[in-house]
Amino acid sequence: MNGKVNDDFFQKSVLPFTGESKSEVIIGPHMGVDAAILKIGDQYMAVAEDPIFPSMTMSADDFAYVTVHIGASDVAVMGIEPRFMTYSLLLPPETEESYVEELIKSISKYAHELGISIVGGHTGYYGAVVVPTIGGITVWGLADQYISPMGAQIGDDVLITKGAAIEAGALLGYEHKDFLSTVVDPLLVQKAAARIKEVSVVKDAHIAATVGGVHAMHDATEGGVKRGLWEIAQASGKGMLIDQDKIFVPEDIAALCQYLKLNPLEIISEGTLVLTCAPEKTAELRAAFMTQGIESAIVGKVTTPEEGCYILDEGNKYELIPPAIDKFWDVFFSSLSEAPTTLCTELETAVNKLCQENIYRMIPEIGANIAYASPESQSLDEVAGIPGRILRYKNTTTTLGQPELGGSVNMAETLLSIRKYFPLTRCLINMRNTPAILKACREGGLTVADMPTVAEYRQCDGDFIRDLEGMLQKFDRLPDVITIPDRINLEILILIPDETLDELIEKVLKVNTLLK
């Protein structure tokens, strides 16, 4: 597991164990509350604690920025200016002193910019630590009044700033820019990476508290905007009605999430302020945000508890349920380029074997191709194929081009259609359809299924997919071979699908041997 403990564990194994009860504690540990509120004399103190670790290649300066701003943000959303901090810096034994010095100086620089005094902490080298880590940063401040996620009022407008998935987009662009720039517009990747300096709601919260009329604030951290909205509703004991279409996602972040199949509303979004505001103050607040270059949007309303928490999606109404896990972390800590590279490498090996075994008798005049998908592949550009196909040349088998994602659109579309009914299918090859080849298939123990004959031998691409899926619906088990009917001006073919490339190649070579 990566990220915070789940809600059930938090409720059962964390909340009941908070030491001695004190009258000074106005707000203690609570779901969806970013900082504690203590009554100190005539004032209220907000105090928050966070661990901070750097991403893999993060510079000391950027690490310092996120350290100070993430810690300070948890106090700022309580409507109180962060003024003091301590931090514990844990270092691997081999960490160079020059790095440590730069990090400490940069933490001081960013604290000074926010008016925060560093009043203590700890710095040391430890064998159990593998990367420089802020074991804990504690930030606090005092004021005459406070705001908390528990304060949302019925009828409030619900707003967000900056858009969804700010931190997720920034970290993905920052750490995986080399690979992502090969599959997404490099300018968009660069823009996402630059958002590392947007991973803060200190300015947003200060503006909101200054304008007034704000009853609840919360930064959308793990679980994203959806969880942030839900946590305010839970903390305040109110309902919400959210219009999902109003939750905007910056273009660069949307592009990264689309490629990585991440829902931008459900992944970490430190930098996005979620707040509720009296309707009569909303326009003034949004104008103040705009003046400071901060985009905002009204995304819903606070409702009565009886009305519950719901989200509208293209006119359909669903219960607002926070994601059980934040899927960002698994993607972030994985090697993003591994799956595409592995697909193409494995396909190249398989194609080379077919060429070495010389299956020219089975190669159609138009050439053969193999579509190869990972278990997670969902779109045409996530399926590997050979752009130049596998070809027959003077009784030999050869290929033009190396496997690549999106290398064969038609074969990829056919494979994805088969996966609707047989999800474990990962590969597919097209071969010649002759009486000798079909005889060899049956002699080899392969099951053969025939697609329906086409009226007047005319069939467009859409009809082909329709007829294929109509045939597959009748089978409980995926056929080993699927015959494609005769069509005007098109070569007669067969399809051989399978769950693994090894099994597919074994089938093809068995048929090829029987042909000899």
Side-chain angles (χ1 to χ4, degrees):
M1 172 185 288
N2 286 307
K4 293 180 181 178
V5 298
N6 62 50
D7 296 344
D8 288 341
F9 185 88
F10 180 73
Q11 297 280 4
K12 292 186 298 185
S13 303
V14 177
L15 277 185
F17 305 103
T18 57
E20 185 177 349
S21 177
K22 296 284 187 180
S23 60
E24 294 90 346
V25 179
I26 307 301
I27 299 177
H30 197 286
M31 182 78 70
V33 176
D34 300 285
I37 294 291
L38 309 179
K39 188 69 181 296
I40 307 296
D42 294 331
Q43 289 191 305
Y44 297 97
M45 183 173 80
V47 57
E49 170 81 10
D50 272 304
I52 314 289
F53 57 90
S55 57
M56 289 80 78
T57 65
M58 185 172 282
S59 69
D61 187 76
D62 287 335
F63 184 25
Y65 178 90
V66 298
T67 293
V68 174
H69 276 264
I70 288 176
S73 290
D74 281 349
V75 171
V77 297
M78 306 303 280
I80 294 176
E81 295 290 328
R83 284 293 173 258
F84 306 96
M85 66 175 271
T86 63
Y87 66 94
S88 178
L89 176 55
L90 311 179
L91 301 159
E94 67 276 10
T95 308
E96 295 181 3
E97 285 191 353
S98 59
Y99 173 88
V100 181
E101 290 174 354
E102 182 183 358
L103 178 59
I104 291 172
K105 288 178 181 178
S106 295
I107 289 175
S108 176
K109 174 183 68 175
Y110 290 117
H112 183 269
E113 288 180 358
L114 295 181
I116 296 174
S117 177
I118 300 171
V119 298
H122 178 87
T123 304
Y125 297 88
Y126 300 96
V129 180
V130 295
V131 294
T133 301
I134 302 296
I137 177 173
T138 305
V139 182
W140 67 97
L142 293 95
D144 295 332
Q145 57 187 9
Y146 65 90
I147 300 169
S148 92
M150 305 171 76
Q153 296 184 14
I154 296 168
D156 277 358
D157 287 331
V158 181
L159 285 75
I160 66 167
T161 65
K162 296 194 187 82
I166 297 300
E167 183 176 1
L171 290 175
L172 288 169
Y174 192 103
E175 286 297 336
H176 297 290
K177 55 182 174 293
D178 291 340
F179 167 68
L180 288 173
S181 293
T182 67
V183 293
V184 177
D185 183 343
L187 292 178
L188 293 179
V189 177
Q190 183 179 353
K191 188 173 182 180
R195 293 185 186 275
I196 200 73
K197 292 296 174 68
E198 294 182 19
V199 179
S200 170
V201 296
V202 175
K203 181 188 288 187
D204 316 44
H206 174 76
I207 293 169
T210 301
V211 170
V214 174
H215 299 133
M217 291 193 287
H218 189 32
D219 55 346
T221 53
E222 292 187 42
V225 171
K226 270 192 177 179
R227 174 167 281 275
L229 293 165
W230 179 82
E231 287 183 341
I232 285 183
Q234 293 297 303
S236 63
K238 303 296 191 299
M240 272 190 187
L241 182 60
I242 303 299
D243 187 344
Q244 182 166 301
D245 293 338
K246 299 292 179 61
I247 302 175
F248 63 100
V249 183
E251 178 189 15
D252 50 304
I253 294 175
L256 299 187
C257 288
Q258 181 178 7
Y259 175 77
L260 296 169
K261 299 295 182 290
L262 289 169
N263 184 339
L265 307 190
E266 297 184 352
I267 54 178
I268 191 165
S269 192
E270 177 74 57
T272 303
L273 180 64
V274 180
L275 63 93
T276 77
C277 176
E280 62 270 18
K281 298 290 287 185
T282 298
E284 181 184 352
L285 177 58
R286 296 192 66 200
F289 282 141
M290 184 175 294
T291 299
Q292 294 298 315
I294 299 173
E295 191 174 356
S296 65
I298 305 170
V299 300
K301 280 280 188 182
V302 178
T303 61
T304 65
E306 294 74 21
E307 292 174 275
C309 291
Y310 288 91
I311 189 164
L312 297 173
D313 182 8
E314 296 182 347
N316 297 310
K317 188 176 181 181
Y318 305 98
E319 187 177 358
L320 175 58
I321 300 174
I325 59 171
D326 191 321
K327 295 182 179 180
F328 164 78
W329 293 114
D330 288 337
V331 172
F332 180 71
F333 287 120
S334 69
S335 175
L336 295 185
S337 60
E338 179 179 350
T341 301
T342 301
L343 281 179
C344 294
T345 301
E346 291 177 353
L347 180 54
E348 182 177 13
T349 300
V351 171
N352 288 340
K353 186 170 186 179
L354 293 179
C355 291
Q356 291 167 5
E357 295 293 333
N358 197 15
I359 62 165
Y360 75 93
R361 296 177 181 85
M362 302 180 67
I363 302 296
E365 294 292 337
I366 62 170
N369 214 321
I370 301 177
Y372 183 40
S374 72
E376 294 79 23
S377 297
Q378 298 180 28
S379 61
L380 300 179
D381 59 1
E382 294 175 326
V383 180
I386 305 115
R389 304 186 185 185
I390 306 170
L391 303 173
R392 183 175 70 213
Y393 176 71
K394 292 183 178 181
N395 294 341
T396 63
T397 306
T398 187
T399 183
L400 295 177
Q402 300 299 311
E404 62 183 51
L405 295 180
S408 176
V409 172
N410 290 334
M411 289 293 286
E413 183 179 21
T414 303
L415 176 58
L416 293 178
S417 295
I418 293 174
R419 282 160 65 107
K420 292 179 184 177
Y421 304 94
F422 300 96
L424 297 181
T425 308
R426 290 189 57 192
C427 46
L428 175 73
I429 190 171
N430 63 317
M431 305 260 82
R432 293 177 70 193
N433 183 342
T434 68
I437 289 175
L438 288 179
K439 180 182 178 183
C441 288
R442 292 188 172 96
E443 288 179 353
L446 304 182
T447 58
V448 179
D450 301 321
M451 287 182 60
T453 302
V454 181
E456 299 181 354
Y457 301 99
R458 297 181 184 277
Q459 186 179 57
C460 67
D461 291 342
D463 294 336
F464 172 75
I465 295 298
R466 179 202 63 200
D467 292 346
L468 173 65
E469 293 186 0
M471 183 209 72
L472 292 173
Q473 291 177 22
K474 301 174 183 178
F475 288 86
D476 295 326
R477 180 179 177 275
L478 179 66
D480 294 310
V481 178
I482 299 170
T483 68
I484 299 175
D486 193 7
R487 298 166 291 171
I488 292 176
N489 296 325
L490 292 173
E491 190 173 2
I492 304 174
L493 304 172
I494 63 172
L495 300 173
I496 303 178
D498 216 307
E499 294 181 3
T500 71
L501 263 183
D502 288 341
E503 292 174 349
L504 178 69
I505 300 306
E506 183 180 343
K507 282 182 184 178
V508 173
L509 295 182
K510 178 188 289 188
V511 173
N512 189 55
T513 299
L514 291 171
L515 276 176
K516 295 178 181 178

